[in-house]
Amino acid sequence: MVVTATAAVAGLVAAVVALPTANAEPGPELIVNGDFADGSNLPWWGTENLTLEVVEGRLCADVPGGTVNAWDVIIGQDDLPMVAGETYEFAYTPTSSAPVTIRTLIQQNVDPWAAELSATDQITDEATPISHVFTAGTDNPAAQLVFQIGGSEDPFTFCVDDVSLRGGAETPPFDPETGSPVRVNQVGYLPDGAKVGSVVTEATEPLEWTVNAPDGGVAATGDTMPVGEDPTSRENVHTFDFSEVTAAGKGYTVTIDGETSEPFDIGTEVYDTLRTDALAYYYHNRSGIEIDAALVGEEYARPAGHVNVEPNQGDDGVTCWATDPCDYTLDAAGGWYDAGDHGKYVVNGGISVAQLMSSYERALTAENGDSEALGDGSLAVPEQGNDVPDILDEAKWEMDFLMAMQVPAGEELAGMAHHKLHDAQWTGLPLLPDRDAQPRELHPPSTAATLNLAASAAQCARLFAPYDADYAAQCLASAETAWDAAQAHPNMLADPNDGTGGGAYSDNKVSDEFYWAAAELFATTGADVYRQALLDSELHGDAEALFPTGGLSWGETAGLGVLTLATVENDLTDAQLTDVRDVLTTAADAYAADAADAAYGLPFAGEYVWGSNSQVLNNAIVLAVAHDLTGEAVYRDAAIAGLDYVLGRNPLNQSYVTGYGERASENQHHRFWANQLDPDLPNPAAGSLAGGPNEALQDPIAEQQLVGCPPAQCYIDHIESYATNEITINWNAPLAWLASYADDLGSSGNTSGS
Ligand code: 9MR
Ligand code: 9MR
């Protein structure tokens, strides 16, 4: 029997939760005058642009139009006692004369306004009760309830009644809406190679599967293979292998025990648009340049951010933050915004741009690589037609920024790179980059940032050499200066607590960055000093250290160097090259074994941490490179299984890539692509990869709605869930790399890789 997960609780999509409070002993009412029965509006307060009136036993106010932020218009009540660990139910019944989305928060009543409850609710003229359950994280004798009702173009009337806040509530059980138990890659499968799916079922014996052809006929049948209980979802799972189906077609499905999967295609072109859409993410998120409607369409066009036009401060003359002042400014305009925030970080920028460049380098070096598919005219970027491959144009936008973050000659730390540049304080959502009024500040240089610069700039030098010798020389000079500076300052670590206004990206281990930078510099220059640094590294030859189970990431970069040395022509001796390739295939064997063990086939046995989807894809890249080198189908199939996972073959039946698949993420955390908060703004552009399941529940939405989740289900497609649903340059980069690999497999017709 197939278990169908029903939507008993409106969990994952809606912010409004129906609350089973059975068995709970509700605590005393904490809201004063929540029913407005005596006609008084006290102790409620409103911002100065409001008059609070009690009308027919409800609190009402005329909300002015034309405000920018939700918090420009607020109705609130103070002095609410919160006890750490206590679970509360907050309820209210609002109406608005026009449909609006408001924010409801229970928070500190002083800066930084840390919220215990942070909800976005949709309100109409129908009085519908809304309720939220949350558990307080800290004691606070005087928390504050605020309805943030600003940010609307047009005026409207807001009323509220039956406001209630009581302890003693029960957290609703975690019960995500997962649709069909039959899980596939919702985009499609290449004709050649493995086609495998998973099904959630209580059956212990094999079940019959049927692949339904697009014409309605039966394409194939077979028996599932029981796997047992999947630890990542705590569900009983079978897999089914329909690799024998190879005929191209759109709209296949799989039926098992009366349940049918989402539709998918089979064809050589299934990854064609994903390759370019995943790369388009970078132009969309450029800083310092207008995003042109002619390239992205009206909906996604926006003014240039951080170019010194009011209220922006501009990134062209940024100085150091007061905590660690400097006597210079840097022109660090340009680059890409990191993610949903407007920070620009050298640490994370390095791996991101490196993986874009590696995607191009793979197309140059692999047997079936098609560099034309990334060439001039392939992407919607303003530099089209300049005879430089568009993917390199995109990379240059970031490289210029990374190089600009280097401490100038003559200064004490000359050659080191500043760790990051971002807003002084966190801004709210939504906010277009050109509307950001925060001061921008450089944070102190770090060894990790400096080595990110050395590695990526060395790669830049060799890739730009055929197109722009001067630029290649500039990249190389920057890389070498950075390497020397890092040698002189090998232990300058970023402060893990420096996370106000931007992320910390602190990394307390830099041996991996040294290894990566040495590898890139060696591949570009052949100089013995870099060879020696590789041979001397404690990491050299250690497959598990170079390629950890949990995958490469911004904090684990050594493996990037191995991938380069194993594939890009360089001066290693034959014996040294054999060693490097052995390390790579040893790591790939481990990831392939993880894939073979996984109920959902993914090459990942690590923890589900913040950004887990990128870790899965980074393991898939290692497999793809092993496939390029050896032609072994087992590597190719495990690599593609990583894409299958992010595109729907997973415990939530979720495609984590916007615009791809029937059940795709569309409310990722982003300040411009914030449609969930403001219907005038767009959803994320197609090809944007959500961070994915994060079992640590590190944001208020996750804390409220994901309590009790199995690791691979700790995800919610909600804009405020930045710890599961943000989008960033370093997560889209491996998606772009793999989509490019997979599209090359399809369009070349050469899936053997050799
Ligand atoms: O928007 C921020 C996101 O980019 C970061 O990944 C995240 C963690 O550092 O923080 C987000 O900003 C939130 C901040 O941490 C707390 N106040 C609310 C901010 C917006 O949701
Ligand atoms: O990707 C980062 C993740 O590994 C960290 O655990 C997390 C918290 O420090 O920060 C993530 O990076 C965020 C950065 O700090 C700010 N911009 C958005 C990034 C993605 O959420």
Side-chain angles (χ1 to χ4, degrees), residues 338-343 345 348 426 496 502-506 553-555 609-611 614-615 669 694 698 722-728 730-731:
D338 189 53
D341 64 321
H342 298 144
Y345 310 83
N348 201 42
W426 283 111
Y505 281 126
S506 68
S553 66
W554 61 266
V609 297
W610 194 317
S614 74
Q615 322 279 117
H669 183 81
N694 172 7
Q698 287 165 293
Y722 46 80
T724 79
N725 202 32
E726 193 156 356
I727 38 187
T728 89
N730 67 313
W731 303 339

Side-chain angles (χ1 to χ4, degrees), residues 637-712:
D637 292 344
I640 296 293
L643 281 172
D644 293 343
Y645 169 82
V646 298
L647 293 169
R649 184 191 172 195
N650 58 54
L652 288 174
N653 198 14
Q654 177 84 23
S655 167
Y656 293 103
V657 181
T658 312
Y660 285 82
E662 304 291 315
R663 293 168 50 90
S665 301
E666 58 179 16
N667 291 312
Q668 291 99 323
H669 183 81
H670 195 273
R671 279 167 170 71
F672 169 38
W673 295 339
N675 178 271
Q676 194 182 2
L677 297 175
D678 178 349
D680 294 336
L681 295 173
N683 289 103
S688 301
L689 175 73
N694 172 7
E695 52 190 295
L697 309 190
Q698 287 165 293
D699 62 64
I701 296 292
E703 283 170 23
Q704 279 158 38
Q705 305 216 18
L706 300 180
V707 175
C709 54

Side-chain angles (χ1 to χ4, degrees), residues 133-471:
V133 170
F134 65 97
T135 302
T138 42
D139 287 323
N140 185 346
Q144 176 183 69
L145 159 67
V146 289
F147 296 113
Q148 297 186 350
I149 53 183
S152 168
E153 265 307 295
D154 302 314
F156 64 96
T157 303
F158 175 82
C159 295
V160 65
D161 197 4
D162 298 330
V163 191
S164 165
L165 175 65
R166 310 177 78 153
E170 279 193 352
T171 309
F174 176 74
D175 188 10
E177 193 280 295
T178 53
S180 171
V182 185
R183 311 283 164 73
V184 295
N185 177 330
Q186 295 167 19
V187 172
Y189 296 85
L190 295 167
D192 218 356
K195 296 173 200 69
V196 189
S198 301
V199 57
V200 182
T201 170
E202 283 177 358
T204 50
E205 298 300 314
L207 297 167
E208 184 179 63
W209 54 258
T210 303
V211 175
N212 311 298
D215 67 6
V218 170
T221 61
D223 288 332
T224 64
M225 287 162 288
V227 181
E229 184 175 303
D230 162 34
T232 75
S233 62
R234 303 180 199 137
E235 291 172 325
N236 192 54
V237 175
H238 296 193
T239 60
F240 50 93
D241 185 335
F242 57 104
S243 306
E244 66 192 84
V245 183
T246 57
K250 290 181 193 297
Y252 282 93
T253 56
V254 178
T255 301
I256 300 174
D257 204 10
E259 301 279 354
T260 297
S261 72
E262 298 300 334
F264 58 88
D265 299 346
I266 294 178
T268 55
E269 305 297 311
V270 288
Y271 291 108
D272 183 27
T273 60
L274 183 59
R275 161 155 43 191
T276 44
D277 281 347
L279 287 168
Y281 180 87
Y282 296 87
Y283 173 58
H284 279 288
N285 285 288
R286 283 191 193 181
S287 178
I289 187 174
E290 178 190 352
I291 306 306
D292 185 354
L295 295 169
V296 297
E298 285 297 338
E299 199 187 2
Y300 288 98
R302 62 167 172 81
H306 302 99
V307 288
N308 245 325
V309 175
E310 283 275 296
N312 274 177
Q313 179 195 290
D315 285 349
D316 53 350
V318 188
T319 193
C320 301
W321 67 334
T323 309
D324 196 6
C326 55
D327 58 8
Y328 51 87
T329 60
L330 294 183
D331 178 353
W336 303 315
Y337 295 119
D338 189 53
D341 64 321
H342 298 144
K344 304 195 300 194
Y345 310 83
V346 174
V347 161
N348 201 42
I351 182 172
S352 307
V353 73
Q355 289 195 305
L356 248 57
M357 291 190 283
S358 291
S359 178
Y360 181 64
E361 211 157 21
R362 186 224 165 244
L364 291 177
T365 55
E367 192 79 29
N368 58 17
D370 177 10
S371 61
E372 279 305 302
L374 301 166
D376 193 23
S378 63
L379 299 178
V381 291
E383 298 82 6
Q384 257 190 23
N386 67 354
D387 290 332
V388 176
D390 285 342
I391 193 167
L392 293 186
D393 288 325
E394 194 56 73
K396 183 171 186 293
W397 193 262
E398 179 73 358
M399 280 313 315
D400 286 346
F401 158 71
L402 296 177
M403 291 193 283
M405 290 289 278
Q406 208 162 15
V407 177
E411 299 291 338
E412 190 193 336
L413 294 174
M416 294 293 284
H418 283 272
H419 196 67
K420 54 180 187 166
L421 181 182
H422 59 69
D423 291 337
Q425 297 295 328
W426 283 111
T427 55
L429 278 71
L431 183 73
L432 268 71
D434 65 297
R435 303 276 89 204
D436 176 8
Q438 283 291 317
R440 306 278 281 178
E441 299 170 330
L442 295 170
H443 290 241
S446 70
T447 309
T450 305
L451 291 166
N452 266 263
L453 172 63
S456 56
Q459 192 176 11
C460 166
R462 65 176 181 265
L463 286 172
F464 273 89
Y467 300 101
D468 186 341
D470 289 347
Y471 192 64

